[in-house]
Amino acid sequence: MLTEIEITNKLIRRKAAFVRFVDVSEFSQEQNRGLNTAILFGLALSPEFIAEVAANENYVRELVQANQQNDDEFSQKELKVGRMADELAKFLHEQGYRAWSQSDKNQEENGHYDSKNHTTPLPHKTIAVKAGLGWIGKHDLLITREWGSAISMCTVLTNVPIQVENTPEMQSRCGNCAICKEVCETGAISGKSWSKGMDRDELVDVQKCTTCLKCMVHCPWTKAYAKNA
């Protein structure tokens, strides 16, 4: 029988910065696909990348103009965590378990991604909050104490009988900070503080978001990670 240590080591060898095993049985069948456990993992973005983006207010715009928007570290790590999820789900299937990769590729191919509203049935950050990994910032990104928002995450839903972690969920620690709203050129961020159960649209208008990464790299929690890493 597979253990948490075996799965963790498999992901750590692929440079995962964290691995969590989360009980997702409270969610609906549509969300958890009838699988009670989520394996959540992620890669940390490098301090050098954070500094590079923070120093160039036109960073993403220049990538798009050069048709290189898929070549930067953020895009590459987003793709990598997706591949890691697909590989892990395949491995678990081979071991005789049910598993569902929540990679962007798998979600899109199976009709589980709403491209109009940019939503999936069970977002990684929802699982991350339940795991006690962090809270949702005013920019609608997960914020962790260790890496700020400088992470790329993915999840695999499974029925592997593993021990889940019971870490208390964290409340928002954004306080009166509004830096993410101030640096958002399109006005996509409302500046409201997140609380559990809040609708995403109260925090951010995804139709206005250009994924410029400014809210991520200028978040004080992300800057603290980049400075102290």
Side-chain angles (χ1 to χ4, degrees):
M1 185 174 68
L2 282 176
T3 66
E4 303 89 73
I5 294 175
E6 290 177 272
I7 295 171
T8 298
N9 288 340
K10 186 176 183 65
L11 292 167
I12 293 295
R13 285 194 294 270
R14 293 294 309 275
K15 307 302 183 183
F18 60 87
V19 181
R20 301 286 190 277
F21 301 95
V22 191
D23 179 3
V24 292
S25 60
E26 69 180 69
F27 297 102
S28 69
Q29 171 88 19
E30 178 188 5
Q31 292 173 294
N32 67 19
R33 301 185 63 80
L35 300 167
N36 291 338
T37 301
I39 304 171
L40 167 76
F41 58 92
L43 303 170
L45 300 174
S46 70
E48 294 79 13
F49 175 74
I50 299 304
E52 180 183 5
V53 179
N56 182 0
E57 64 178 21
N58 296 314
Y59 178 82
V60 171
R61 187 178 299 120
E62 291 175 0
L63 284 179
V64 173
Q65 290 173 346
N67 197 29
Q68 297 177 329
Q69 59 267 39
N70 295 322
D71 298 334
D72 74 323
E73 182 181 326
F74 176 74
S75 298
Q76 289 298 310
K77 285 191 172 174
E78 286 284 286
L79 290 171
K80 181 178 178 180
V81 290
R83 291 194 298 270
M84 289 168 66
D86 292 342
E87 292 165 4
L88 178 59
K90 182 175 182 291
F91 170 74
L92 295 178
H93 279 301
E94 291 171 347
Q95 302 302 309
Y97 300 103
R98 292 177 61 203
W100 171 261
S101 168
Q102 293 217 115
S103 68
D104 290 348
K105 180 174 182 264
N106 195 45
Q107 300 262 48
E108 290 174 7
E109 288 180 350
N110 288 278
H112 288 266
Y113 175 68
D114 182 340
S115 59
K116 179 181 179 181
N117 298 303
H118 305 287
T119 58
T120 58
L122 185 54
H124 311 312
K125 61 190 171 186
T126 298
I127 297 173
V129 168
K130 184 167 176 54
L133 185 65
W135 67 95
I136 306 300
K138 294 178 181 179
H139 51 6
D140 194 43
L141 300 176
L142 185 79
I143 300 178
T144 68
R145 287 176 293 189
E146 296 90 345
W147 307 279
S149 294
I151 53 175
S152 294
M153 295 185 294
C154 206
T155 48
V156 172
L157 306 178
T158 184
N159 68 342
V160 177
I162 47 182
Q163 184 67 43
V164 296
E165 300 171 52
N166 296 307
T167 306
E169 295 181 17
M170 298 174 65
Q171 302 300 312
S172 173
R173 300 191 178 191
C174 293
N176 295 322
C177 179
I179 289 175
C180 58
K181 179 181 179 180
E182 293 166 6
V183 299
C184 181
E185 294 180 353
T186 64
I189 298 172
S190 71
K192 292 183 180 179
S193 291
W194 167 83
S195 60
K196 188 175 180 181
M198 177 180 283
D199 190 278
R200 178 199 65 186
D201 294 342
E202 292 186 56
L203 297 175
V204 64
D205 183 342
V206 295
Q207 305 303 330
K208 291 182 179 179
C209 177
T210 61
T211 319
C212 69
L213 305 182
K214 291 179 183 178
C215 62
M216 178 183 75
V217 300
H218 289 291
C219 172
W221 291 88
T222 302
K223 292 174 74 174
Y225 152 66
K227 178 180 179 181
N228 298 321

